Amino acid sequence: MITDIVQAFQYFIRQMSEVENALDTDCIADAINDICRLSDVGSMKVDIYSSATLIDTDKKETHILYDDGESDDDVIKIKKITGGSGALVYTISHKKGSEPWNERLHNRLDLLVSILFVFTSRFVINQVAQKYAYYDEAEYHNLRYFGAELTKLAAENKTKGLAAAQFNLKHFQGVNHHVGRDNGDVVMRTFINGLDEIKGCSVPVCRMGGDNFIMLMSADKIDDVVEYLKGTIISFGDEFSERVNVSATAGIYVFEDDFELKILGDLMDKLMPASGLAKKAGRDDVIFYDSELMNIRQQIATIQHQFPIAMENSEFLVYYQPKVSITDGTIVGAEALCRWSQKDRLIPPGEFIPILEQSMDICKLDFYMIERVCRDIRRWIDEGRNVVRISANLSRKHMLDVDLVQHLLEIIDKYNIPHVLFEVELTETTTDVEFKDLKRVVQTLQKQGISTSVDDFGIGYSSLKLIKEIPWNVLKIDKSFVPVDEDDEHSPTSVMFKYVVGMAREMGLEIIAEGVETKTQVEVLRKNGCDIAQGFYYDRPLPAAEFEKRLETGAIKR
Ligand code: C2E
Ligand code: MG
Ligand code: MG
């Protein structure tokens, strides 16, 4: 039993200093009780509000009650004190039948209340500060909260059996645009709530910013979470009548037994590379952090590091793959394809082009290739050979270069190459902005008498708009759209091939089928009126010297 007012205050202050985690309202009420008793004040009830505006609506954050009087005590004074970020309401009651309070007692009470306010408002400030520290503006838990929860779990050795994911909602700008920002907020919230329900872990999904989130899950729920992230229909609007599909790319790390986590950064080191890779087009939308991922990362770093040295050492070679007229087997053109010649092996472009496309390095390589192609054509002309039109691939990255055509012409004209002998292969674009650039580039090249072809038509984002609005010369049908021997004439591939070829012919486009490997495929081409083939059936991409020989002999049919 505390008998001294100073002691009572000390106890109260101690309680108030310990509110960082959770306020023990019983202890605080006890402390206030003691202070009131020792100050000769009757009974007091303290309500704490996180905001002054909440007082009237009675939405208290916390309620501290001190009342040792009868239930029908007279309320003699209600004191409201509002601070910058919170409010306190003291309701002081007078015990029925006791002596009325004199002015001295009232003053004493005011003083006491003011002192109590200073300390209890600490709690309010703390609560508000916590709110700002651990939530973002849309009231999602934030990364700081995630870090605090995670380090707590790690310190208690409780990360075993858990996994973490960092994910990014796909095309969410598009969703916002499509359904409106307010509905977009609802959709995002619903998607996250759904995830909270299935992840089997109490730490809520936290937002890192924008449409980037981070979460913990029970390791045995990974499959459910992955399925959910890969695409979930979210209903919203009046009576949930509207629906949108939300999906995400994600990096996942399953906590290993020997994983030591001291700070959040230790986990981010695992999640960032995985989620970064997942975001890149052409890869799986969900990537797990493991040794395979580290190998890929290592490969990427090596290629990026070696590229400038390889350029200096002229390690990149031009191979030529003939384009053959199926009617008479003559070579009517060729595509220049890049090979990286390292000491012990020849690296195919699939292994390095996608990496070079992550930076502007690909543009350096393309111009290098074009220079080599022009040099070869010049030599063939000078040697009096039978020269055909050569196409070179240009990455979409060039679309950012407003002087692209100018740069191309500089090289072509430096070697004095007749423009009809050069062709540029371009793939489809994904955005409207790129589409405009693509159209401008094709039109400008055409004015210069340089042919352009749509490469890999059929895969990616091909649209009819692409061939309707851009004046291409050549349509190259991707090998995945050329019927294989097993396809009968009613298979979807056969039907599509037939109509794409028919349409392109009607539009006056030259058509090339890519990846032709068998005689049966050649027959299919013939039947559908596609006259030019490029593929292993005739030739693989050949080193320049071999290609020169092939130019003399014509394509060899096996
Ligand atoms: P692409 O432009 O569509 O080139 C055709 C690819 O199909 C080549 O692969 C070729 O070897 C392959 N191919 C040809 N006939 C057949 C066949 O009958 N069966 C099969 N299975 N494949 C066949 P490659 O040489 O590995 O090149 C892959 C891709 O790399 C090219 O696809 C092109 O997109 C890119 N690429 C190659 N060189 C360059 C370059 O210098 N610059 C740029 N930006 N991209 C390049
Ligand atoms: Mg190509
Ligand atoms: Mg192609």
Side-chain angles (χ1 to χ4, degrees):
M1 174 86 159
I2 296 173
T3 51
D4 174 44
I5 183 83
V6 175
Q7 231 185 356
F9 264 108
Q10 277 172 346
Y11 178 70
F12 172 73
I13 290 165
R14 216 168 35 245
Q15 288 306 322
M16 277 302 167
S17 330
E18 280 170 12
V19 299
E20 262 74 19
N21 295 322
L23 184 72
D24 185 340
T25 42
D26 283 348
C27 289
I28 306 267
D30 279 352
I32 292 176
N33 186 354
D34 284 338
I35 293 170
C36 292
R37 180 170 49 78
L38 294 163
S39 323
D40 293 336
V41 173
S43 70
M44 177 149 65
K45 176 167 147 307
V46 182
D47 290 328
I48 302 179
Y49 297 81
S50 66
S51 157
T53 54
L54 294 175
I55 292 177
D56 293 328
T57 57
D58 206 26
K59 277 196 200 145
K60 287 186 279 287
E61 293 289 309
T62 294
H63 186 183
I64 301 173
L65 178 70
Y66 165 71
D67 187 359
D68 67 351
E70 308 288 325
S71 55
D72 54 351
D73 281 354
D74 296 326
V75 170
I76 59 161
K77 191 160 184 164
I78 295 182
K79 195 167 172 65
K80 289 182 194 178
I81 305 177
T82 56
S85 56
L88 298 165
V89 174
Y90 295 84
T91 313
I92 298 140
S93 315
H94 185 223
K95 213 171 198 166
K96 260 210 168 109
S98 61
E99 283 285 297
W101 287 356
N102 58 24
E103 205 193 329
R104 210 182 113 260
L105 208 54
H106 275 290
N107 288 344
R108 198 167 173 178
L109 190 68
D110 276 349
L111 183 65
L112 174 63
V113 163
S114 303
I115 295 169
L116 290 178
F117 172 73
V118 170
F119 288 99
T120 40
S121 59
R122 252 184 67 97
F123 168 71
V124 176
I125 290 165
N126 205 36
Q127 268 203 333
V128 171
Q130 264 204 7
K131 187 164 175 160
Y132 282 114
Y134 286 155
Y135 290 85
D136 68 10
E137 67 289 351
E139 306 217 333
Y140 288 99
H141 284 89
N142 62 14
L143 189 60
R144 194 175 293 124
Y145 176 81
F146 184 83
E149 290 296 304
L150 180 70
T151 40
K152 225 187 298 170
L153 285 172
E156 293 166 8
N157 263 331
K158 288 184 181 160
T159 52
K160 223 176 171 182
L162 291 181
Q166 186 197 337
F167 62 94
N168 179 262
L169 302 184
K170 280 169 86 175
H171 320 302
F172 209 77
Q173 260 185 334
V175 174
N176 274 332
H177 185 73
H178 178 60
V179 304
R181 188 156 270 285
D182 288 349
N183 280 329
D185 290 347
V186 173
V187 167
M188 188 186 279
R189 172 60 77 185
T190 312
F191 183 78
I192 299 301
N193 288 351
L195 204 50
D196 269 328
E197 274 170 31
I198 61 167
K199 69 188 178 359
C201 164
S202 60
V203 178
V205 175
C206 299
R207 186 159 83 154
M208 299 171 68
D211 52 11
N212 272 310
F213 293 84
I214 190 161
M215 66 184 283
L216 289 176
M217 70 194 101
S218 167
D220 57 11
K221 299 287 183 198
I222 291 177
D223 288 349
D224 297 347
V225 168
V226 167
E227 200 188 317
Y228 188 91
L229 290 177
K230 283 195 166 173
T232 295
I233 305 277
I234 300 293
S235 303
F236 65 98
D238 290 340
E239 294 176 2
F240 300 104
S241 55
E242 294 184 65
R243 283 144 56 92
V244 65
N245 186 29
V246 181
S247 60
T249 59
I252 296 184
Y253 173 68
V254 184
F255 287 94
E256 291 153 306
D257 289 352
D258 57 353
F259 176 59
E260 273 191 36
L261 186 137
K262 294 218 165 47
I263 51 167
L264 176 62
D266 295 332
L267 175 65
M268 295 319 265
D269 286 348
K270 311 261 181 198
L271 288 180
M272 297 290 261
S275 62
L277 214 59
K279 242 193 215 182
K280 299 237 157 71
R283 296 205 189 263
D284 202 342
D285 280 347
V286 175
I287 303 258
F288 282 81
Y289 173 93
D290 57 15
S291 50
E292 193 190 329
L293 170 74
M294 288 328 279
N295 285 343
I296 297 174
R297 294 248 305 163
Q298 186 61 42
Q299 245 176 16
I300 293 175
T302 309
I303 284 172
Q304 284 170 340
H305 168 74
Q306 288 179 344
F307 173 71
I309 307 163
M311 284 282 276
E312 244 175 59
N313 295 344
S314 304
E315 288 175 21
F316 295 101
L317 306 177
V318 188
Y319 273 48
Y320 293 95
Q321 186 175 34
K323 296 170 185 172
V324 180
S325 157
I326 62 168
T327 48
D328 57 11
T330 52
I331 295 174
V332 295
E335 174 174 10
L337 292 159
C338 185
R339 299 289 180 267
W340 185 346
S341 159
Q342 287 190 338
K343 268 172 258 115
D344 45 353
R345 69 186 195 118
L346 206 59
I347 310 179
E351 282 183 36
F352 58 87
I353 296 237
I355 295 168
L356 299 181
E357 277 187 323
Q358 290 174 21
S359 67
M360 297 309 273
D361 281 349
I362 186 64
C363 299
K364 292 185 196 145
L365 178 69
D366 283 350
F367 278 119
Y368 174 92
M369 288 285 292
I370 289 163
E371 173 107 30
R372 295 282 150 137
V373 167
C374 288
R375 214 172 65 180
D376 281 344
I377 301 178
R378 180 74 259 154
R379 187 167 50 80
W380 296 330
I381 294 173
D382 291 346
E383 290 171 1
R385 290 176 193 274
N386 172 26
V387 189
V388 292
R389 192 167 74 201
I390 307 292
S391 61
N393 292 282
L394 270 194
S395 160
R396 276 202 256 138
K397 279 269 158 142
H398 291 281
M399 294 303 123
L400 300 171
D401 176 4
V402 284
D403 299 319
L404 168 67
V405 177
Q406 186 63 32
H407 290 154
L408 280 172
L409 286 174
E410 273 166 26
I411 304 175
I412 296 168
D413 292 343
K414 184 169 99 185
Y415 289 93
N416 200 12
I417 306 295
H419 291 189
V420 287
L421 288 180
F422 195 80
E423 180 181 318
V424 172
E425 294 196 11
L426 293 155
T427 52
E428 318 92 311
T429 57
T430 44
T431 65
D432 273 355
V433 180
E434 281 185 2
F435 186 87
K436 277 191 201 130
D437 290 331
L438 188 64
K439 186 170 174 177
R440 179 179 45 78
V441 167
V442 172
Q443 281 169 338
T444 324
L445 284 168
Q446 193 136 83
K447 276 193 205 119
Q448 294 292 334
I450 294 173
S451 289
T452 50
S453 45
V454 195
D455 199 0
D456 304 337
F457 185 77
I459 57 168
Y461 297 88
S462 326
S463 72
L464 293 177
K465 181 176 160 193
L466 183 82
I467 43 176
K468 179 174 159 241
E469 292 186 15
I470 301 185
W472 305 98
N473 303 89
V474 185
L475 190 77
K476 297 188 77 181
I477 302 179
D478 187 72
K479 60 175 167 289
S480 56
F481 283 81
V482 177
V484 291
D485 294 1
E486 291 74 32
D487 280 308
D488 69 26
E489 60 182 315
H490 303 296
S491 81
T493 310
S494 301
V495 174
M496 279 162 86
F497 183 75
K498 178 174 156 188
Y499 286 103
V500 168
V501 171
M503 180 181 69
R505 270 168 64 99
E506 289 265 319
M507 293 174 80
L509 287 165
E510 193 178 294
I511 313 147
I512 299 180
E514 296 189 281
V516 174
E517 294 181 348
T518 66
K519 195 169 170 44
T520 317
Q521 284 182 307
V522 175
E523 287 316 312
V524 171
L525 261 55
R526 203 185 312 280
K527 215 165 78 193
N528 286 290
C530 172
D531 299 330
I532 305 172
Q534 179 184 340
F536 297 169
Y537 176 68
Y538 293 101
D539 267 311
R540 289 180 177 262
L542 305 168
E546 266 184 61
F547 175 67
E548 285 161 21
K549 280 190 218 142
R550 191 68 88 244
L551 275 179
E552 307 298 321
T553 58
I556 311 285
K557 277 173 279 177
R558 273 165 280 154

